[in-house]
Every structure is written in structure tokens, then in C-alpha cells.
Amino acid sequence: TYGLDLLRQGYYRPQVDPADGAVIGYVSPEVTLDSRAVFVQPQWRSGPWLLSGGVRHERFEGEVGRRGFDPAIPRAATPGDTPDFSLTLWNAGFVYDLDPALQLFGGFSQGAEISEFGRAARGAPDPSLINLDGATSDQIELGLRGRRGPVDFSVAVFRSKSDKAASLQADPSCAGEPLCPLIPLRLAQKIHGLELTADWQVNRTLNLGTLVTYQKGRFTEPGAPSVPFGTDTLSPPRATLYAEFEPLAGWRGRVQATRFGSTDEYDAAEQAAGFRNTDSLTLVDVSASLPLGPGRLSLGIANLFNREYVNVTNQASGDFFYYLSEGRRATLTWQAVF
């Protein structure tokens, strides 16, 4: 596989006075980012081996536009071109057939992150000094998948590393103001994890399955010690169990339970800095359907036992996002084909 990509992205987000519609500031001035990329992705099969690899080279050109520009408006950005930059990304992978129903697989891949152009340009007096700072991340994965008897399964481990991963922080120049936009921040980060799946066909009418996820990681700001990621970035230890059944021909049901484990990553000093440990949480969903007339009647109940709860992402995001998630919800539908 080979090809050429051409992409243009534009963004403009002013702050407007609701009284008269006048521009009074910018979350983002007008910015445009053009990219051109060529890529090639060959693949080879040799006996039990399936090998693949590839490369993508991309060139970027940016511009701060004149739309809405007024040097008297706070945080206006001077129009002009930003420095060009390029990225080259590699990948390689393999699948090895241990037997007709069992495979070993693995791979290496690179991704790329670019600073958010609009936020990087906000208030910039000289566009030639804007560095969008394209940076690669390296991912490695190794796993096993297959079928043994009535059980389909997979297990995989992974590791990801970036010296300059993209993140955001509040602009310190507008502390205390009603609207304080976020600005780009670069962090070194490392993440590793494991995922396991299994699906067991017990008999014709019953199927059981599970998904287990474990992720850990740390990030480092320049000149500071490393800090663990919270559940606003990574999933806490999580296990999902489900059962699918058909007690009578055409009558189908499913019960699913997901357990999010508690986290205890942060000490007192880190919690004082705004990082949050999170509590455990269990969510249960059920659904059932049966034939009715020319169609099918279905009933689904989400969060069967949780009328009030805060999901783990919001738990980790501090007081501003600590609000209740959608509680128990029932849905009744009837579908017909005609």
C-alpha cells in the first residue's frame, strides 16, 4: 500500500462581547496548518510468518491569518508564517502461526503529536518564533491470541514512551480571570499495560466473557520529579464480565458488570498540588429482547444499581469536574423490518 495525503486545517475562535458582537480577545487567532505526506506500507507472507513494515514522511507549513486581527485587542497574534517542520514515522510488525488456531504477534510503531496551533499562537508577537514542536512517541506491543476448545482468548502487553508528549496547562498570565484558556505544555511520559480477553461458548444458549485492563504510567515536567498519571488520563485497573444467553429460541439477554479498582498513586504533597486518588466503582448493565409481531421488542437498563455515582475520570479531575454521571436509565424499543 502506498499513497499521498494532502490536508489543510483551519481554526479561529475569538472571544466576543455579547452586547455588540465585537471581538474582545482570542482563545485562538485564525491559524492554518497545511501538511503533505507520502507513505508506503509493504507486507510479506512466508510460511507461518506474516511480516509488515512501513514509513510515513510528512511536511507541515503553518500560518497565522489576518481574520479579526487588531493589535489593540488583548492576546492578538501578529499575522505571518510559522517555521516549517517535518516528521518521519516508522512501523514494523509480525504475526507467527504457532498452529492453525494460535498466533504470536508483536510490533513497533511511532505516533506523532503537534502542539495545538491556536493556543500556541495566542498572543504571539512574532509568528516566526512559534514552534509547534512535532514529536514522536514509540510504542511496542507483544501478544498471544487464539482458540482452545470453546474458548477464544487474547493477551497483550504494551509500552509507550515519548520525550515530548502533548498536554495542556492553564495560562498563568490570566489567573483569576473568568476565562483562562489552556496553553500547550510538553511532558516526557512512559506508559505500560496489559489487556486480556476471553470468550467461552459454554453451550448453544450461554456465552461467557471477560475483559481485563491494567495501565500504569508517569509523566515528567521539565525540572520536576516524575508524577504518576491519574484516572483522568489512564484507566484504573478494570475488569468486565458478561453473560449472553438465549433461554428460548429468539429470546436473548445480556448481563454485564464492570469493576473499576481504586487507585492510591499520590502522597499528601501531590494531593495538595491537585492530584486525586479515586475510589472503586462497579457498574451493571442488562438487556433483553424477544420477537413481537413483525419486529423485536428490546429492553435495556444501564447502571442497574447506580442511581448516583461519579465516574473515575471526573473523580480525578478535581472539584471543577466532580459532578454526578448519568444514573440508572431504561430504554424500551420496538424494531420492525418491512
Side-chain angles (χ1 to χ4, degrees):
T1 303
Y2 55 90
L4 168 69
D5 291 337
L6 302 174
L7 180 65
R8 165 164 285 197
Q9 302 177 78
Y11 187 52
Y12 175 54
R13 187 179 175 186
Q15 294 173 252
V16 177
D17 187 338
D20 58 11
V23 176
I24 57 175
Y26 303 95
V27 174
S28 169
E30 182 187 35
V31 294
T32 304
L33 187 64
D34 296 325
S35 65
R36 304 184 303 274
V38 292
F39 64 90
V40 60
Q41 188 73 25
Q43 182 173 286
W44 304 269
R45 165 68 76 174
S46 177
W49 291 94
L50 177 63
L51 306 175
S52 65
V55 60
R56 175 185 178 91
H57 181 76
E58 194 160 7
R59 180 84 177 169
F60 296 86
E61 299 174 356
E63 178 187 15
V64 179
R66 302 194 64 86
R67 182 181 178 187
F69 172 67
D70 184 344
I73 298 176
R75 301 185 182 91
T78 302
D81 294 334
T82 60
D84 299 343
F85 65 99
S86 61
L87 288 167
T88 302
L89 306 175
W90 299 87
N91 71 85
F94 75 91
V95 178
Y96 180 74
D97 297 327
L98 296 168
D99 63 42
L102 188 64
Q103 294 179 325
L104 181 69
F105 65 91
F108 166 81
S109 64
Q110 289 186 306
E113 294 183 307
I114 300 170
S115 292
E116 294 191 32
F117 192 1
R119 286 169 166 150
R122 187 171 62 89
D126 184 353
S128 67
L129 300 179
I130 297 175
N131 181 9
L132 297 181
D133 204 18
T136 60
S137 60
D138 298 335
Q139 285 73 233
I140 298 176
E141 182 182 28
L142 183 65
L144 185 70
R145 64 193 178 204
R147 183 177 182 86
R148 283 294 181 263
V151 179
D152 289 301
F153 67 91
S154 68
V155 58
V157 294
F158 73 90
R159 185 177 183 223
S160 175
K161 178 182 178 182
S162 177
D163 293 330
K164 293 187 294 184
S167 187
L168 295 170
Q169 65 177 351
D171 186 343
S173 68
C174 63
E177 297 183 11
L179 176 63
C180 191
L182 302 175
I183 60 175
L185 173 68
R186 287 297 190 176
L187 303 170
Q189 69 177 33
K190 296 179 180 179
I191 300 171
H192 64 274
L194 174 146
E195 183 176 276
L196 182 148
T197 68
D199 190 273
W200 177 25
Q201 187 70 47
V202 180
N203 53 45
R204 186 185 61 81
T205 63
L206 179 62
N207 187 70
L208 302 177
T210 186
L211 166 65
V212 177
T213 301
Y214 175 86
Q215 298 177 0
K216 291 290 184 180
R218 304 183 72 89
F219 66 90
T220 307
E221 294 188 36
S226 65
V227 179
F229 277 116
T231 58
D232 53 343
T233 302
L234 300 180
S235 169
R238 182 185 65 186
T240 296
L241 299 174
Y242 63 87
E244 298 173 331
F245 46 90
E246 188 173 359
L248 297 173
W251 294 54
R252 302 169 191 156
R254 179 183 172 99
V255 178
Q256 175 176 301
T258 299
R259 173 72 174 182
F260 298 89
S262 61
T263 63
D264 188 19
E265 303 285 355
Y266 302 116
D267 58 26
E270 291 168 336
Q271 292 183 63
F275 299 102
R276 297 287 184 268
N277 295 317
T278 56
D279 298 326
S280 60
L281 176 65
T282 301
L283 301 177
V284 178
D285 303 330
V286 298
S287 63
S289 68
L290 69 156
L292 183 63
R296 175 170 287 273
L297 183 68
S298 301
L299 172 65
I301 303 177
N303 306 328
L304 181 62
F305 303 115
N306 298 80
R307 295 175 58 188
E308 295 185 357
Y309 72 98
V310 178
N311 71 40
V312 292
T313 299
N314 289 355
Q315 288 182 35
S317 299
D319 295 340
F320 185 77
F321 290 104
Y322 198 95
Y323 54 83
L324 293 175
S325 300
E326 188 176 62
R328 185 183 304 146
R329 181 177 71 257
T331 304
L332 183 66
T333 62
W334 182 74
Q335 294 176 310
V337 178
F338 58 89

